């Protein structure tokens, strides 16, 4: 083995650098050559390229077509649409809709905008939330009239519980899956090409950092496609990428159960960072309860205002008077196994809705005539649970629940007294991440110098800036609709100008 | 022609068979159920990249709409899932007679027969 001296180190360093530079030059040259070659191949030149076949991507592609783009393609990395939407109830949050009018719900743009900002603790981008507000009525009409989406009656949704959510009729599927199905049919009708197992791995750009196309990984190898109108990233967020979740949110969050897609792996970040995109709100996400092994959602019990909540060591770990969102997040943060139980009695008003869901999915829970027995059934330390329930009932009688540690601040508390008793499990789950490249009101991605990156768009959960802290039920699909339609029109216009 | 007939025959076999194995039927099957490989024999499509694509299967077995109708008496209906058109091999394994339900990678369903509503 050669001994390293200073000269050798310098030499190897120098030649290493030269070699690396040469490799970089040759790889760049090869990429450019390929791009040139692609230019010669008209089948690989499009007016608009969209990455991701979820609602945001399909809406963008259809809108581009309808705005006059001749050749539009959607590249989907899986062999079918596999984003978060197919797991969703499928609600679109809006105001001024036909549905509101028919149901006698009075609403205004200003009230809607104020709600959007309130839900985001005033931290959502004001211009983007205003754009959402101004464009959602037409967006919902378009989904109904152009795409053929059927909406059911507006029903109250979780916070802020206002009559604004149009629920997609599932017709045997989840509402979100039905929405995707309808959009796929509309995309085909409008002449949008969809290429499956085509994963965007690198954005192509010219020497002025204008995005010119995308390099795609296919089962047959890598291919390069060019776009005159630009590239819209509609790949969703990064909830299914544990490395990114750890980096941007924290290790504890990597132990959360995925409530949605396993395919949302952060291409909105990895593709745009090399373009110096300004990624914002990266630590923000939505959470909800779920059982990892069966994907039952115990949210109704958590929101019912009944019972005490304990960890698997048999200790209370949070104020039970919290929404299911906070309960899910806190369970992941404060318990190493991301698992808690709610001990309720038979008076709990939502059991008739929740227990059948558990039974249908063979999802275990405890049910017994004594607290001791119900604790034993689910493996909780019975003596501790008996003591906690006793203390809770005593504090309830004395009006001192808020003095417990941690306090329990139910507004209308109930004792735990009527057998049979239930132990309902919960785990913290991640619904979607809110962070991503900041867009402007034209859905153009912003760079770190505060300028739009020409030819680069983000739509749906790929885009950053709209949401912070929480979102109004149906606003994710609403934003996909609004900004998808905007991005589609923008790319069509850009393609026309490039002719 | 011969090939087409064979395909139809194996499709018919498979259709009847799949209903039986999907359901949690209380009565035990009389004979050892055949694997997909045994049912298809030489008709098993050549795999591309290590797996058979759903497009290959659907050429003979029909699309998901048709498959969903064939299993409309099962609850939940494994061919009408919110996941959409999953790859057939995600559930139907060549060396197995009984499918592995892809649904149960996340859920824990027991599929039950209901009143036929074809």
């Amino acid at each position: 083995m050669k001994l390293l001296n200073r000269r050798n180190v310098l030499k190897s360093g120098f030649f290493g650098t030269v070699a690396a530079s040469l490799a970089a030059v040759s790889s760049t040259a090869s990429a450019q050559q390929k791009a040139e070659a692609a230019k010669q191949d008209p089948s690989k030149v499009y007016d608009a390229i969209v990455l991701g076949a979820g609602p945001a991507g399909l809406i963008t592609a259809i809108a581009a077509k309808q705005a006059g783009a001749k050749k539009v393609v959607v590249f989907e990395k899986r062999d079918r649409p596999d984003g978060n939407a197919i797991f969703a109830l499928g609600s679109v949050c809006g105001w001024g809709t036909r549905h509101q009018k028919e149901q006698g719900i009075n609403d205004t743009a200003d009230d809607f905008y104020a709600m959007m900002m309130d839900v985001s603790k005033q931290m959502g981008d004001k211009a983007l939330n205003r754009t959402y507000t101004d464009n959602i009525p037409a967006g919902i009409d378009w989904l109904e009239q152009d795409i053929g989406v059927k909406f059911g009656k507006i029903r109250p949704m979780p916070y802020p519980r206002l009559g604004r959510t149009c629920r997609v009729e599932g017709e045997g599927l989840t509402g979100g899956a039905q929405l995707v199905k309808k959009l796929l049919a509309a995309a085909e009708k409008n002449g949008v090409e969809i290429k499956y197992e085509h994963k965007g791995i690198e954005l192509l750009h010219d020497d002025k950092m204008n995005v010119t196309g995308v390099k795609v990984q296919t089962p047959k190898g890598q291919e390069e496609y060019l776009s005159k109108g630009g590239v819209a990233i509609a790949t969703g967020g990064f909830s299914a990428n544990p490395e990114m979740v750890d980096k941007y949110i924290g290790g504890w969050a990597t132990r959360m159960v995925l409530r949605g897609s396993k395919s949302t792996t952060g291409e909105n970040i990895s593709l745009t960072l090399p373009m110096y995109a300004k990624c914002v709100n990266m630590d923000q996400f939505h959470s909800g309860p779920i059982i990892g092994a069966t994907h039952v959602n115990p949210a109704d019990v958590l929101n019912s205002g009944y019972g005490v909540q304990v960890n698997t060591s048999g200790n209370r770990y949070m104020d039970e008077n919290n929404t299911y969102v906070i309960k899910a997040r806190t369970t992941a943060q404060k318990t190493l196994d991301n698992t808690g139980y709610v001990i309720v009695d038979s008076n709990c008003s939502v059991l008739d809705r929740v227990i059948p869901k558990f039974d249908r999915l063979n999802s275990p829970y405890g049910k017994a005539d004594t607290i001791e027995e119900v604790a034993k059934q689910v493996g909780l330390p019975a003596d501790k649970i008996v003591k906690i329930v006793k203390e809770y009932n005593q504090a309830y009688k004395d009006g001192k629940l808020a003095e417990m540690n941690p306090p329990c601040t139910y507004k209308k508390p109930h004792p735990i007294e009527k057998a049979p008793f239930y132990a309902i499990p919960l785990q913290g789950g991640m619904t979607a991440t809110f962070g991503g490249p900041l867009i402007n009101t034209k859905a153009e991605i912003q760079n770190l110098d505060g300028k739009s990156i020409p030819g680069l768009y983000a739509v749906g959960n790929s885009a950053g800036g709209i949401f912070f802290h929480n979102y109004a039920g149906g606003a994710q699909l609403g934003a996909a609709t609004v900004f998808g339609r905007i991005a589609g029109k923008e790319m069509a216009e850009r393609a026309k100008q490039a002719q | 022609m011969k090939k087409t007939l064979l395909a139809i025959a194996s499709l018919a076999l498979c259709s009847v068979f799949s209903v039986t194995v999907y359901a949690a039927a209380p009565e035990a099957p009389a004979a050892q159920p055949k694997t997909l490989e045994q049912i298809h024999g030489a008709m098993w499509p050549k795999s591309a990249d290590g797996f058979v694509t759903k497009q290959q299967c659907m050429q003979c077995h029909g699309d998901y709409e048709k498959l969903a109708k064939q299993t409309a008496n099962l609850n939940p209906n494994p061919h009408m899932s919110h996941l959409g058109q999953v790859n057939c091999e995600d559930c139907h394994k060549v060396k197995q007679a009984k499918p592995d339900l892809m649904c149960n990678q996340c859920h824990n369903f027991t599929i039950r027969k209901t009143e036929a509503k074809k």
Side-chain angles (χ1 to χ4, degrees), chain A residues 306-345:
Chain A
Y306 284 83
V308 286
Q309 192 172 316
V310 296
N311 60 21
T312 48
S313 303
N315 299 314
R316 287 180 62 240
Y317 59 97
M318 70 181 298
D319 184 347
E320 284 82 355
N321 189 34
N322 269 299
T323 64
Y324 72 72
V325 174
I326 305 296
K327 286 183 176 180
R329 181 181 313 218
T330 307
T331 300
Q333 270 175 323
K334 290 200 172 181
T335 72
L336 202 56
D337 52 1
N338 183 20
T339 304
Y341 284 87
V342 191
I343 312 293
V344 293
D345 71 356

Side-chain angles (χ1 to χ4, degrees), chain A residues 415-431:
Chain A
I416 304 168
E417 58 185 10
K418 188 183 171 190
F421 302 98
Y422 291 81
I424 310 289
L426 76 132
Q427 291 189 286
M430 188 178 286
T431 319

Side-chain angles (χ1 to χ4, degrees), chain A residues 363-446:
Chain A
S363 199
Y365 59 91
K367 180 184 177 186
D369 284 336
T370 65
I371 296 289
E372 188 179 10
E373 184 54 30
V374 83
K376 278 183 188 164
Q377 279 180 1
V378 294
L380 289 170
D383 49 343
K384 271 182 156 177
I385 303 299
V386 168
K387 188 165 169 265
I388 280 174
V389 171
K390 212 172 165 186
E391 282 169 3
Y392 172 90
N393 282 336
Q394 189 60 49
Y396 165 78
K397 267 185 207 164
D398 301 342
K400 290 183 175 177
L401 282 173
E403 290 172 31
M404 291 167 66
N405 182 24
C408 176
T409 62
Y410 282 141
K411 289 193 179 74
K412 285 183 192 167
H414 309 275
I416 304 168
E417 58 185 10
K418 188 183 171 190
F421 302 98
Y422 291 81
I424 310 289
L426 76 132
Q427 291 189 286
M430 188 178 286
T431 319
T433 52
F434 293 153
L438 177 66
I439 55 166
N440 65 5
T441 56
K442 290 178 172 180
E444 296 166 341
I445 292 182
Q446 304 298 290

Side-chain angles (χ1 to χ4, degrees), chain A residues 158-385:
Chain A
Y159 177 81
R161 299 190 71 81
L162 296 167
R164 287 174 170 146
T165 44
C166 299
R167 179 84 66 90
V168 177
E169 299 268 18
E171 301 169 55
L173 302 169
T174 60
Q178 188 58 244
L179 174 65
V180 171
K181 203 174 166 189
K182 291 254 158 71
L183 285 166
L184 279 176
E188 192 183 347
K189 200 174 135 196
N190 279 274
V192 171
E193 272 183 65
I194 302 179
K195 288 177 181 279
Y196 293 102
E197 294 186 271
H198 278 55
K199 178 183 173 167
I201 55 168
E202 187 186 327
L203 292 169
L204 305 175
H205 62 84
D206 62 17
D207 62 359
K208 289 179 181 163
M209 297 297 265
N210 296 304
V211 171
T212 53
V214 65
K215 188 191 276 187
V216 174
Q217 185 70 49
T218 79
K220 289 176 185 162
Q222 293 180 3
E223 294 171 1
E224 291 183 355
Y225 291 86
L226 299 182
S227 173
K228 294 173 195 162
V231 176
I233 296 180
T235 51
F238 59 87
S239 47
N241 183 330
E243 188 267 346
M244 281 191 189
V245 170
D246 190 353
K247 182 159 67 185
Y248 297 118
I249 299 169
W252 61 272
T254 64
R255 291 181 283 278
M256 295 186 95
V257 178
L258 284 179
R259 300 179 88 209
S261 170
K262 292 173 189 166
S263 297
T264 48
T265 51
E267 286 87 344
N268 60 332
I269 313 299
S270 54
L271 287 173
T272 63
L273 279 184
M275 300 296 297
Y276 300 94
K278 180 179 184 178
C279 290
V280 297
N281 301 338
M282 297 300 283
D283 62 337
Q284 297 295 305
F285 67 98
H286 183 266
S287 52
I290 192 164
I291 311 297
T294 58
H295 281 215
V296 179
N297 183 348
D300 285 337
V301 171
L302 303 184
N303 273 7
S304 69
Y306 284 83
V308 286
Q309 192 172 316
V310 296
N311 60 21
T312 48
S313 303
N315 299 314
R316 287 180 62 240
Y317 59 97
M318 70 181 298
D319 184 347
E320 284 82 355
N321 189 34
N322 269 299
T323 64
Y324 72 72
V325 174
I326 305 296
K327 286 183 176 180
R329 181 181 313 218
T330 307
T331 300
Q333 270 175 323
K334 290 200 172 181
T335 72
L336 202 56
D337 52 1
N338 183 20
T339 304
Y341 284 87
V342 191
I343 312 293
V344 293
D345 71 356
S346 292
N347 285 322
C348 178
S349 55
V350 297
L351 287 172
D352 58 340
R353 283 211 302 269
V354 176
I355 296 302
K357 288 189 205 169
F358 274 77
D359 288 340
R360 184 165 187 250
L361 278 157
N362 305 302
S363 199
Y365 59 91
K367 180 184 177 186
D369 284 336
T370 65
I371 296 289
E372 188 179 10
E373 184 54 30
V374 83
K376 278 183 188 164
Q377 279 180 1
V378 294
L380 289 170
D383 49 343
K384 271 182 156 177
I385 303 299

